[in-house]
Amino acid sequence: MDDLPPAPDARARLELRAIRELLRSQRRRIRAYPRGHGPPPGEPGRPRTLPGTGFPTGREVLDALPVPALLLTPVCGEAGDVVDVHCTSHNAAAVAYVAERFPGSPLPRWPGPVSLYERLPSLHRTPVPRMISRAHHDRDAQGPEAVEWVVNGPSGPVRLIADVRVSPCGDQLLLTWERGHRLLMAAAAQRLVRTCWAEWNLGDDGVEPSRGFRQALGLPENGPLPTLADLAGAATPESLPGLYQMLYEVTLRKRTADCYLRLRSTPGRITRMTAEPVRIAPGSLVWGVRAVFTDVTAERLRRESADHAEREAHRQRQHARTLGEVAEALREAVLPQFHDEPAAYGLQATVVYRPDAREAGVGGDWYKVRTLPDDRLLVALGDARGHGLAAVTLMAKLRYALAGLAYTEQPVEQLTYWLNDTACADGIESTATAVIARYHPERSLLRWTCAGHPNPVLLRDGRATPLPSPAGGPGLPLGVLPGTEYTAAVAPLRTGDIVLMYSDGLTERRDSDPDQDTLRLLDAATLSLRTKAPGPGLDELHGYAEDLVARLDGPHRTDDATLLVLRRTTPP
């Protein structure tokens, strides 16, 4: 126990020394135990006598065996080899085994010695002939060995499995078996669940291991069995604190405990050691440690992978939450609610925005309604490319750039031209669509340009129709090609007319046709007019907008969605 391998560092040496001292102390307690717990003194003067005076017969001895047994007589050839074997007798356990294994069938009668191989021909292909020959010639007990053979039963061939032993018995041989093959089953169980077990006697370091003990722990097949101190010496430094705590719980506190071991012989393997105290009587001293070793490498790797995935998911959620808070603050800063500006121009304006839930409420939709120095009203709605904070940043750049450019009092065609050059100068990823309009209150006229965006929709007399595109059709999206020219369309507005400007996230479906998307919006807008016609107030107009968005929204949506609603309220 004292011959421990050198530890890789000082801390590990201290842990090994603690384990060694713990085991030494327990050994001292075990060796001192008999002095206070010797056998009771005898009663001199009273002779002890053994009951019974006769000796049992061979049949009585055979029937006293708790396992099925056959008494065999080898038949040797001229060369001395065993060529056959006769069964001369069997015990009561053998009869009971046949009755239990083949219930309801008549038991075969063996009138005197019969050839074992004639009665059970399938035994020729098992280890039994070899075991019989070696037991006969070497006079040494053979087995146990797992044997499988076939017997013709009432319903057909039956496969039997047993642990078989063959022992010399005078001039004859005794063949015994135990049903099932416990050794093979134990080995299979160890292999299937990567488990082994052992029991250590703390008084002398004796070890009783299972068959797969060395293999499971990566120990040499021909090497000595390890003591608990040897096991500690073979463990990696990070395993020693847990091993010490487990041995402390088992030997001193008399509790079942476990720990995780990494052995230097199998560096990539993680083994769980679960141990319990072994005592000769309840409440007595712990004389041994019984332990089961289970390979939990795959389980630990899966757990570590799951923990890593959970931490990564938490990090991503935290990142998305933070991103959403930043983007929401930025959006609130750059997209304030309308006040009374449109009212001075005989208009009402309201907006409904629905973020993309997958992007933590972050998107590139933007809008602008702003009074200009020339007594005009700037109205714009756009959709910056992409998602996330980058899209919000691009949205803010375009919105503020348009606000500054609009103060030049240039027509919307020129504003769109300049805004496109601004987006192109920002990089190839800075693309966006937009509708940019100026409202002329003296003529109740809306002049607007389109940069790759859906056309606005006019609601008049209970019908919804798209506004005609500018001459030459919609222009290119912003940021695609510098120097792009844009043309404007004109839309006169009557009192009560409603104009809808929207982003395509409100209508588009995955793999859908844009024309079908537009028709879907027109039908929903018309149906909302019939079922929820807005009253004269701004709140009623906003209620209509909410109802329309609710009709078009749903789990199919893959982008943020914005609806900007204008209504002409006073005559020109």
Side-chain angles (χ1 to χ4, degrees):
M1 184 180 295
D2 295 339
D3 298 330
L4 294 177
D9 53 43
R11 182 178 181 84
R13 285 195 296 270
L14 290 175
E15 295 288 351
L16 283 171
R17 189 174 295 118
I19 291 174
R20 180 172 57 185
E21 184 55 38
L22 178 66
L23 296 173
R24 280 175 173 171
S25 299
Q26 191 65 13
R27 176 183 288 183
R28 287 194 293 267
R29 282 188 285 270
I30 290 172
R31 290 180 174 177
Y33 184 85
R35 292 195 293 269
H37 300 79
E43 297 178 319
R46 299 191 60 183
R48 297 187 178 183
T49 59
L50 296 176
T53 57
F55 293 98
T57 65
R59 164 57 61 183
E60 290 173 334
V61 171
L62 201 61
D63 284 340
L65 294 176
V67 295
L70 302 178
L71 193 60
L72 307 177
T73 300
V75 178
C76 297
E78 294 181 358
D81 297 334
V82 177
V83 295
D84 198 359
V85 60
H86 289 171
C87 179
T88 58
S89 183
H90 53 267
N91 68 350
V95 175
Y97 171 80
V98 176
E100 181 181 357
R101 189 62 185 81
F102 303 100
S105 63
L107 298 179
R109 298 178 60 83
W110 288 15
V114 296
S115 171
L116 182 67
Y117 298 141
E118 288 181 6
R119 179 70 66 172
L120 301 171
S122 62
L123 285 181
H124 266 303
R125 296 184 295 273
T126 70
V128 168
R130 173 180 50 81
M131 297 172 68
I132 289 174
S133 180
R134 294 194 60 177
H136 173 68
H137 288 292
D138 299 343
R139 310 309 296 173
D140 287 331
Q142 304 296 312
E145 287 198 38
V147 175
E148 301 181 25
W149 72 98
V150 176
V151 174
N152 288 321
S155 58
V158 177
R159 172 175 168 265
L160 300 178
I161 309 169
D163 284 335
V164 175
R165 292 175 173 84
V166 179
S167 306
C169 184
D171 293 333
Q172 296 179 298
L173 300 174
L174 187 67
L175 185 149
T176 61
W177 72 92
E178 296 183 61
R179 61 182 308 169
H181 51 347
R182 293 181 300 172
L183 296 178
L184 276 185
M185 292 176 66
Q190 293 177 77
R191 184 180 66 257
L192 291 173
V193 298
R194 303 183 302 279
T195 294
C196 65
W197 52 88
E199 183 174 315
W200 284 270
N201 188 325
L202 297 179
D204 62 359
D205 285 334
V207 188
E208 292 291 336
S210 64
R211 294 180 68 184
F213 179 74
R214 286 187 174 93
Q215 182 181 5
L217 297 185
L219 302 174
E221 287 296 330
N222 299 324
L225 290 169
T227 65
L228 287 172
D230 295 334
L231 194 65
T236 57
E238 65 270 20
S239 303
L240 295 176
L243 179 59
Y244 172 82
Q245 185 62 38
M246 186 210 69
L247 291 174
Y248 179 87
E249 292 287 331
V250 172
T251 58
L252 298 184
R253 306 188 72 179
K254 305 176 183 179
R255 297 178 177 178
T256 299
D258 62 8
C259 68
Y260 290 95
L261 288 178
R262 291 179 183 265
L263 302 178
R264 289 197 291 270
S265 57
T266 54
R269 189 182 303 172
I270 305 171
T271 302
R272 181 171 58 222
M273 179 180 178
T274 305
E276 66 176 0
V278 178
R279 295 178 284 182
I280 59 175
S284 68
L285 191 67
V286 174
W287 287 73
V289 173
R290 183 182 298 123
V292 175
F293 298 83
T294 306
D295 184 351
V296 294
T297 307
E299 175 187 336
R300 287 291 294 270
L301 290 178
R302 285 194 297 267
R303 185 182 305 170
E304 290 173 3
S305 178
D307 290 344
H308 174 76
E310 184 177 353
R311 290 193 300 270
E312 181 62 20
H314 176 74
R315 189 187 70 80
Q316 292 290 351
R317 287 194 298 270
Q318 189 65 32
H319 174 73
R321 190 179 301 113
T322 302
L323 182 64
E325 292 172 355
V326 172
E328 185 65 25
L330 181 59
R331 177 174 294 282
E332 289 296 325
V334 299
L335 298 180
Q337 293 296 318
F338 304 140
H339 298 290
D340 296 331
E341 292 175 310
Y345 299 87
L347 295 176
Q348 292 174 334
T350 187
V351 169
V352 176
Y353 172 72
R354 294 289 183 269
D356 181 3
R358 301 173 308 161
E359 297 291 337
V362 185
D365 286 4
W366 58 277
Y367 52 89
K368 183 76 174 177
V369 176
R370 179 70 178 271
T371 300
L372 299 176
D374 58 357
D375 290 330
R376 307 288 192 265
L377 185 69
L378 176 69
V379 181
L381 186 144
D383 183 1
R385 178 184 183 275
H387 299 276
L389 196 56
V392 176
T393 304
L394 175 60
M395 170 268 291
K397 290 179 182 177
L398 295 177
R399 185 177 182 278
Y400 281 122
L402 178 61
L405 293 171
Y407 273 78
T408 64
E409 301 184 10
Q410 293 296 314
V412 289
E413 301 95 307
Q414 186 64 42
L415 297 182
T416 310
Y417 177 90
W418 283 335
L419 194 61
N420 174 62
D421 282 353
T422 301
C424 288
D426 199 55
I428 59 174
E429 298 296 325
S430 297
T431 59
T433 64
V435 168
I436 299 173
R438 177 181 278 138
Y439 181 67
H440 299 258
E442 72 281 3
R443 293 183 291 166
S444 299
L445 195 68
L446 189 72
R447 294 189 76 253
W448 58 279
T449 61
C450 179
H453 201 83
N455 287 4
V457 170
L458 175 66
L459 305 183
R460 176 180 289 172
D461 299 331
R463 296 181 56 196
T465 56
L467 291 178
S469 297
L476 292 175
L478 304 174
V480 173
L481 183 65
T484 299
E485 300 284 347
Y486 295 87
T487 58
V490 176
L493 298 184
R494 304 174 188 172
T495 299
D497 283 353
I498 296 174
V499 176
L500 307 178
M501 296 182 181
Y502 62 96
S503 64
D504 57 9
L506 182 64
T507 59
E508 70 178 0
R509 306 289 189 271
R510 189 179 300 277
D511 301 326
S512 64
D513 181 272
D515 293 337
Q516 292 298 322
D517 295 340
T518 302
L519 289 176
R520 191 180 302 108
L521 171 69
L522 298 179
D523 291 342
T526 302
L527 184 59
S528 288
L529 281 176
R530 293 174 184 170
T531 59
K532 195 176 180 62
L538 181 60
D539 290 342
E540 289 87 347
L541 183 65
H542 187 77
Y544 168 80
E546 290 278 5
D547 182 75
L548 176 55
V549 169
R551 293 177 186 275
L552 295 170
D553 200 8
H556 55 268
R557 182 163 55 84
T558 59
D559 199 357
D560 51 342
T562 304
L563 176 64
L564 171 60
V565 182
L566 295 174
R567 179 165 64 178
R568 181 79 171 98
T569 58
T570 58

